[in-house]
Amino acid sequence: MNNWVLLFFFLSLFFISSTSFSSSSVNPTHKCSVQQTLALLQFKQNLSSINNTLFEYDSTCKNWLGSGYNPIMVNWNTSIDCCDWNGVTCDDSTGDVIGLDLSCGMVKGTIHPNSTLFHLPRLQRLNLAFNNFTHSQLPPAIGRLSNGLMHLNISSCGFTGQVPTYISHLHKLVSLDLSWNGNDLKLEPHVFINLLQNLNVMKELSLTDVNISAVLPSNLSISPALKLLNLGSTGLQGNLPHNIFNLQSLEKLDLSDNSLTGHIPSEVSLLPNLVSLDLYGNNGIDLEPHIFNSLLINSTFLRDLQLFGVNIGFVLPTYLNISSSLRSLYLSNTSLQGKLPDNILNLKYLELLELSGNNIFSGPFPKVNTSTNIPLWRLGLSGCGLNGSLPKSFGNLRYLEIVDLSDNKLSGTLPSSLFTIPSLIFIVLDNNMFQGNMPLELFSLQSLKYLSLANNQLTGEIDVLDNGPDLQTFQRLTNLFYIDLSYNNFRGDWELDALLSSLTNLQVLTLSHSGISVTTSNANHHVNPNFWTLSLASCNLKVFPVSIRAMTYLIYLNLSYNDIQGHIPDWIGEIGKIQLSVLDLSNNSITGTIPNVYEDWSELEGFVLNGNQLQGKVPTSLYKCQKLKIIDLGNNQLSDTFPGWLGDLPKLKVLILRSNNFHGGINVTSSKLKFPFPSLQVIDLSHNGFVGQLPTKYFQNFNAMKNVVKKNTKPEYVSTNSIYYSIIVTVKGVDQYFPQLSVQYTIVDLSGNKFEGEIPNITGNLKSLIVLNLSHNSLTGQIPHSLGNISEIESLDLSWNQLTGEIPQSLVDLTFLEFLNLSRNHLVGHVPQGKQFDTFDNYSFGGNPKLCGPPLTKKCGEHPHELQLEGDGDEEESGFTWKVVVMGYGCGTLLGMVLGYIMLSTGRPKWFNAIADVANHMILNRQNKRR
């Protein structure tokens, strides 16, 4: 405090002397007051400057200010008048600080509620944009500036918490920007409404990414002077207020990424100054085709039109007429119909065209005029149902930088003209039917950074190294950071270290199932530390590439379906540091134990080691991976008790431990959670050695399997890091491969173990269960009637147990049931009739000697003499063979004579006849099989 008193004293002397000097000057100018100088210095005391390499907005600020910008507060000291400090503007007549612009100032710190920043009563402009004030809150003290503040910008600063109600008291505000602080900055709905009502002179309001979450009233009270209104990603709901489109001064309107509904009124095409309209992602909004057409033609100044997801349903004409002002047309997923207009790629002024996701287009790809200088730099026609080949004239789009034609039915060879476009940097052609070799021109396209040709039928040999003038090699494309050639029919042997050392900018390499073989000498070569995806499934790899150890930012690693041998390296925990999301080493020849080194993989979502020869136990360090969704360790030689501690993983959806040597009982004592496995939707413990009762406690907690959720929207699939998870599970009696696992597909497979006791009634609470397999155990008791509550079930297998009693009538009402196997039990009574049960045959019920009625041949009311007749070919498995019968002949002859005398003397020949019938039937069956 004493230091501040001394500083105040010296500043006072400086102020007196400077004003005395000024009074004798020809052009007197008032300098910054002592109080305001102190306020600014105290504000600076809580802040610091950020190094360029650590500044998160470095690229943004360089694009805005150039590379010469520096920390803005470096000259804030007492030797310079505060009016001359960087970012400070003073009133020439009074010396008051009226402007503070610290944007891109490389400033870091916290703005406290009592910050002296708000001790500048004449402040008119405050700009703190693009700095790091993370976890700071905008304090109520902002209200002190209500007499003068006209412009406030705190965008992209990391502010959090509630925006104070005093924000609506700043009645002189002309512009307000609170955008891009993350969704942790909240604006209460009533504050938002007051803000709109009270700020009558507002011209620019930008609240993008502020969490408002309000239902908009049908009529908004808005400043008539408003020119810019950005409310994107704010959680707005309700009907689109029509009076927004009556603001005659409006130039830019952004309501994107909300949940707004209703119709866009015809007034939208009459706004005389409209330059930009963005309604992206509001799937409940409709735009009448005639209004849309008028908007395209009549909007004099409209440059950018973004309607992604808006339902238009417009039938495109053969010739499209649009305003000459339009530069950007974003109409993806808008239900456009017809075929692409003939002139769609010949519009003289259009620079960006996005029509992706309108998959009801038909017809061939339109041609490009050779005489027209088209400025188009971005073209998106993904998922449009286009067919035929790409025209050679495509290469006439000489300014094209980004082209996405993925997910169509395009065929033929790739035109060489496409790869002669000099500025092309982004090519996405995956999921089509292209054939033939890649054009040689591709390998000379120096501008290329992103290449995706996955899921086509491309062929030809591609090499890594440049060994001749005519070879196809990527070595010269040094700007490439993304390559995806997966699922094609290429040839070639790629040396991984040579590729990585040549393409030093490479961050993504996906060659899975491409036909390319990958080898590695495991030499020490340069690897881009920013490498984040490596997918080499089915590339004939024999060893672990050591180069991946240096990929400290790796997110996705897939080395599945190779012939990797040996142990998993102990350094595997170093890969990706804390960023690794997916590790897939499945279907190799890996031996040894699984290293217990995953404590730092906090972002891990998928851990897949299925189909190896791994031994030992499940590594307990996986407990630290709290974001895990998928653990697949099936088809190995692991020997462990059930890892119940996995139940503490809150997001775990899939647990596969099938075909190992797990043993012991399953209990919940090892879980710390009261309700373990809260998100589990697939559990496969089949073909192990588990014993004891079925895990009733777990069945009670499988909440993700209890609620039936039917969605009419686009299907969703289980994914890790946006990559779909594939799975092989036993469904309807056979192993089935699912390339994508629906989030609604739930499976419980505990078959092939030694479980005993009864099936718990609580199983019937798993109402969304699709597959239940408890076969090949030693379960007893009756089939619970509650299983009839599993309304979504499609496959039910309880075969090869010791179940008794009748088949519950409730199972008849399972209308989705396609596969039922209750064979090889001790069930009795009638087979229920009607509905789905009328579709099942003998196979579903065989091996239950006391069952009767269709589809069994045994009629109800007859004697049970057809023992074990409903199933074929099971003599060996049941242990009863004719070798045993023959061995018994010698010692059984005398016993047979005695039994024969007893039967004849007691008058019970029917019993003997029944046995004879059984024997005769079995002999006939064996003779038929031999034929």
Side-chain angles (χ1 to χ4, degrees), residues 239-259:
N239 282 332
L240 194 63
H242 282 196
N243 69 309
I244 290 180
F245 301 98
N246 294 326
L247 299 172
Q248 296 300 298
S249 299
L250 196 63
E251 297 177 3
K252 294 184 178 182
L253 175 62
D254 181 358
L255 301 175
S256 61
D257 285 312
N258 286 295
S259 300

Side-chain angles (χ1 to χ4, degrees), residues 840-908:
F840 302 132
D841 56 18
N842 286 6
Y843 175 83
S844 297
F845 309 101
N848 291 281
K850 295 186 180 181
L851 272 181
C852 61
L856 299 175
T857 56
K858 178 185 173 183
K859 297 180 180 179
C860 294
E862 293 184 354
H863 294 284
H865 61 276
E866 295 186 0
L867 181 64
Q868 301 288 343
L869 297 187
E870 289 81 3
D872 293 329
D874 292 313
E875 298 169 345
E876 297 287 338
E877 209 165 345
S878 66
F880 181 79
T881 68
W882 277 102
K883 293 179 181 180
V884 178
V885 175
V886 174
M887 290 173 62
Y889 273 150
C891 61
T893 302
L894 179 60
L895 179 60
M897 293 174 64
V898 173
L899 289 173
Y901 172 78
I902 294 172
M903 285 187 293
L904 292 172
S905 63
T906 57
R908 297 184 183 272

